[in-house]
Amino acid sequence: MNTLKELTWKQERIAKINKYLETENRKDFIDDTYITSLINKRSTVDKPRIAELIARSKTIKGLSPEDAAYLINIDDKDVWEGLYEAARYVKNEVYGNRIVLFAPMYLSNECVNDCVYCGFRESNDAMKDKVMSYDEIKEEVKAFTSVGHKRVLTVFGEGPNSDANYIAGSMKTIYAVKNGNDEIRRVNINAAPQFVDEYKMIKQAQIGTYQVFQETYNKERYKQLHGKDHIKSIYKWRLFALHRAQEAGISDVAIGALFGIYDWRFEVLGLMYHAADMDREFGVGTHTISFPRFEPAINTPFYNNNKYKVTDDDMRRIVTVLRLSVPYTGMILTARETPEFRRELIQLGVSQTDAGTNIAIGGYTNGQDQVNKVMEKQQFEIGDKRSLDEYISELVDDGYIPSFCTADYRCGRVGCDFMALAKTGKMKKLCIPNAVLTFEEYLLDYASPAVKVKGEKLLNKYVEFVRGNATPAMHKQVEDYLARIRKGERDLYF
Ligand code: SAM
Ligand code: SF4
């Protein structure tokens, strides 16, 4: 239940938003009727057309929503095998064989909204509200960084104590924590939509990427799931949240949909139209796409009553079609999925994932053994409860180089600059060297003995890769930086 303070804050905010929206002239880029017509068209296997689409996607030109809809509706195992192979190819061409690692940190779960799928919703009496104080955040960051993390995705509920001031203050607090070699170098955010002046404050606090998930792009379904009198009930406020962030100068913005609350095919096309509209207005698409799958949460019966469950096979198709359609956009896989399934999805085009994840408020301070034991403070159940080191061990076995790189943002390679590099294949050439440097830091400072041994072997292979694929000057610089890191220097990057 909302407190009086929360209720007043919410009502004032809704009034302010409605007033603001009277001046919002942007055109709604989600045409529900057209998208529905696309996803309802039956697809018959047309081999020349499929071959042409695969060939085109391999030139990294992307696909139109109409082409994506055609592929989505194909029901032929062999065709999908070909598409999976193409997705693996595209991922490797743009990002190389490296996986960027981060973990989420939940800082507040107070929420004035009532999204039926979320454990934090205001009507959920089984959830204990908590907003971490800055002192508690400092302790959380120490625990979080002590295992090797350098990138964090902070997550917030929406309410008077989790507003833009609190978000910016949390970010400053996080960046200020230094403990030996432990530190956060990039703070990303998943928080409710804000006004432009609020985004400016958040940008000043050095935001990395800002994420807002539309949940469902279908307006009718959106209305059913988000109630009437909440901030989140206002579809348009959310749809243009990232446009406002761009207006405020936040260049790395990230979209997502909560898969499993409506027809997944609609959401794939919704994401594509969203990325295209950002590209049209700002000359840069979205930095990443997330495709979280709806998970059970405490006291959330909607999970069992919902008819739009997404199967593993659907998930494979979601990742594949997105990888082929928007090749320059990073794709984020989360620990909502099980270890076995994560291993499989990674191959299909994922470029970033969380690891060593704990989604309880204060969860890292309380220790990894508390994962999923404090359901009354966490949003949903996670599927992969392995530690960061255990996860890295598997990546190394599979030949992927883990990366803690945070260079792009600090070198100013964000937004358009990032896309320009990605589009000319130069990103891969910078990503692998930066992965090598940050992975060496991890091996020296945090790895278990077994991971250290096999990690160094893998690292040497990637240094050889740099020798074979980059300029001699770049290779020499990598070797020099590695030598300096081994002598104790940290945070060297390209
Ligand atoms: N309150 C902010 C908002 O709604 O934008 C940000 C934080 S919210 C905790 C982050 C995301 O969690 C939501 O956008 C939603 O996609 C996801 N989420 C909510 N309930 C979930 C569930 N039961 N399973 C998986 N993901 C869920
Ligand atoms: Fe609140 Fe976000 Fe959860 Fe909705 S999804 S109840 S807005 S925390």
Side-chain angles (χ1 to χ4, degrees):
M1 283 287 280
N2 281 165
T3 60
L4 186 61
K5 178 180 171 188
E6 285 169 335
L7 208 58
T8 314
W9 184 84
K10 171 168 119 173
Q11 281 162 355
E12 285 174 7
R13 199 159 172 86
I14 289 176
K16 195 173 160 196
I17 290 168
N18 283 332
K19 196 158 184 336
Y20 170 85
L21 287 178
E22 286 169 16
T23 64
E24 174 59 88
N25 294 322
R26 293 187 171 95
K27 188 171 170 290
D28 180 350
F29 50 87
I30 298 295
D31 182 339
D32 294 67
T33 313
Y34 183 59
I35 296 181
T36 304
S37 75
L38 282 183
I39 62 173
N40 285 340
K41 251 191 215 156
R42 268 194 61 231
S43 294
T44 45
V45 176
D46 171 350
K47 286 198 173 150
R49 181 171 181 195
I50 292 165
E52 191 275 317
L53 289 179
I54 289 183
R56 185 161 14 120
S57 62
K58 283 186 168 180
T59 63
I60 328 287
K61 291 209 172 93
L63 299 176
S64 69
E66 288 77 10
D67 290 335
Y70 168 70
L71 293 178
I72 277 173
N73 279 331
I74 289 180
D75 205 7
D76 180 294
K77 202 167 165 289
D78 291 341
V79 170
W80 276 102
E81 286 308 322
L83 295 171
Y84 296 150
E85 193 279 320
R88 285 191 281 268
Y89 174 88
V90 170
K91 189 243 159 173
N92 198 42
E93 277 301 293
V94 180
Y95 285 96
N97 217 1
R98 69 97 172 83
I99 299 290
V100 171
L101 295 178
F102 70 96
M105 186 187 285
Y106 280 65
L107 298 186
S108 85
N109 67 356
E110 72 158 356
C111 199
V112 295
N113 297 307
D114 207 31
C115 315
V116 290
Y117 45 80
C118 178
F120 292 169
R121 70 190 185 283
E122 73 73 15
S123 64
N124 187 0
D125 294 334
M127 184 65 57
K128 289 187 188 151
D129 277 5
K130 170 84 187 151
V131 178
M132 290 185 89
S133 70
Y134 292 154
D135 280 342
E136 286 169 330
I137 292 176
K138 282 182 199 156
E139 291 312 306
E140 187 72 343
V141 173
K142 280 185 200 156
F144 182 83
T145 51
S146 69
V147 297
H149 282 299
K150 303 288 182 221
R151 302 168 67 106
V152 66
L153 171 67
T154 51
V155 185
F156 303 83
E158 182 165 21
N161 302 310
S162 314
D163 61 2
N165 268 310
Y166 174 73
I167 294 173
S170 312
M171 293 171 67
K172 288 179 193 156
T173 306
I174 292 172
Y175 280 125
V177 177
K178 312 267 177 209
N179 195 17
N181 291 337
D182 305 349
E183 63 178 353
I184 295 288
R185 297 178 189 155
R186 179 176 175 118
V187 181
N188 298 336
I189 288 183
N190 184 315
Q194 310 285 326
F195 287 93
V196 173
D197 58 333
E198 294 170 333
Y199 281 135
K200 285 188 179 158
M201 193 193 317
I202 291 170
K203 175 168 166 64
Q204 265 202 339
Q206 312 287 335
I207 188 174
T209 305
Y210 172 57
Q211 290 186 337
V212 173
F213 302 159
Q214 189 63 27
E215 321 298 12
T216 174
Y217 283 91
N218 183 275
K219 294 187 188 76
E220 203 42 50
R221 187 63 173 159
Y222 189 92
K223 217 194 263 175
Q224 289 165 12
L225 304 182
H226 297 101
K228 249 185 353 145
D229 302 319
H230 306 288
I231 299 173
K232 194 142 166 186
S233 316
I234 312 171
Y235 179 95
K236 206 170 164 192
W237 175 242
R238 199 165 180 87
L239 192 67
F240 294 118
L242 299 176
H243 293 66
R244 290 193 301 278
Q246 279 278 7
E247 245 180 274
I250 299 177
S251 348
D252 274 358
V253 294
I255 55 176
L258 182 56
F259 280 92
I261 58 173
Y262 187 58
D263 188 325
W264 64 268
R265 300 169 306 162
F266 194 103
E267 311 305 5
V268 167
L269 297 192
L271 289 164
M272 286 178 66
Y273 280 111
H274 200 163
D277 199 72
M278 300 295 298
D279 206 355
R280 182 194 56 75
E281 183 168 342
F282 301 103
V284 54
T286 57
H287 190 64
T288 53
I289 295 184
S290 295
F291 40 93
R293 184 154 46 165
F294 178 28
E295 298 294 337
I298 190 169
N299 193 28
T300 303
F302 172 71
Y303 184 81
N304 299 320
N305 307 332
N306 158 46
K307 67 171 186 185
Y308 291 107
K309 292 222 167 69
V310 164
T311 65
D312 285 358
D313 221 27
D314 298 337
M315 283 300 278
R316 287 182 191 99
R317 294 176 181 200
I318 290 165
V319 176
T320 299
V321 172
L322 285 173
R323 183 66 301 154
L324 299 181
S325 303
V326 275
Y328 294 112
T329 304
M331 299 228 325
I332 302 186
L333 173 68
T334 73
R336 289 171 179 84
E337 304 299 333
T338 61
E340 302 71 34
F341 198 45
R342 265 152 75 81
R343 197 171 197 175
E344 188 189 331
L345 284 184
I346 284 268
Q347 300 170 17
L348 291 178
V350 169
S351 54
Q352 292 191 26
T353 183
D354 56 339
T357 295
N358 190 320
I359 60 168
I361 313 272
Y364 297 100
T365 315
N366 292 331
Q368 191 67 13
D369 59 337
Q370 291 297 306
V371 174
N372 271 5
K373 288 188 191 158
V374 278
M375 280 302 283
E376 73 279 7
K377 280 198 214 151
Q378 72 185 40
Q379 194 191 11
F380 51 82
E381 277 177 39
I382 59 170
D384 188 346
K385 297 164 196 162
R386 289 173 294 177
S387 68
L388 178 61
D389 199 65
E390 284 168 329
Y391 187 69
I392 286 182
S393 175
E394 179 180 281
L395 283 183
V396 171
D397 288 344
D398 291 347
Y400 292 103
I401 181 149
S403 176
F404 294 92
C405 171
T406 53
D408 300 340
Y409 154 72
R410 291 177 301 152
C411 293
R413 282 194 302 268
V414 293
C416 297
D417 300 344
F418 175 90
M419 286 290 165
L421 283 173
K423 285 181 180 170
T424 51
K426 288 190 186 129
M427 185 49 67
K428 187 167 137 185
K429 291 195 174 115
L430 287 170
C431 287
I432 296 288
N434 281 327
V436 163
L437 301 179
T438 54
F439 187 41
E440 178 65 358
E441 289 185 350
Y442 177 82
L443 293 174
L444 291 170
D445 294 343
Y446 309 101
S448 62
V451 168
K452 204 173 158 90
V453 171
K454 61 183 176 183
E456 287 293 353
K457 268 196 205 148
L458 181 88
L459 193 116
N460 288 334
K461 275 197 202 154
Y462 279 91
V463 175
E464 280 311 301
F465 173 88
V466 174
R467 187 206 294 276
N469 289 275
T471 58
M474 169 66 99
H475 174 247
K476 182 174 178 310
Q477 187 83 59
V478 169
E479 293 279 17
D480 288 351
Y481 278 181
L482 276 176
R484 284 165 60 184
I485 289 171
R486 285 170 187 147
K487 282 191 187 141
E489 269 187 77
R490 291 290 173 269
D491 204 14
L492 302 172
Y493 54 85
F494 295 98

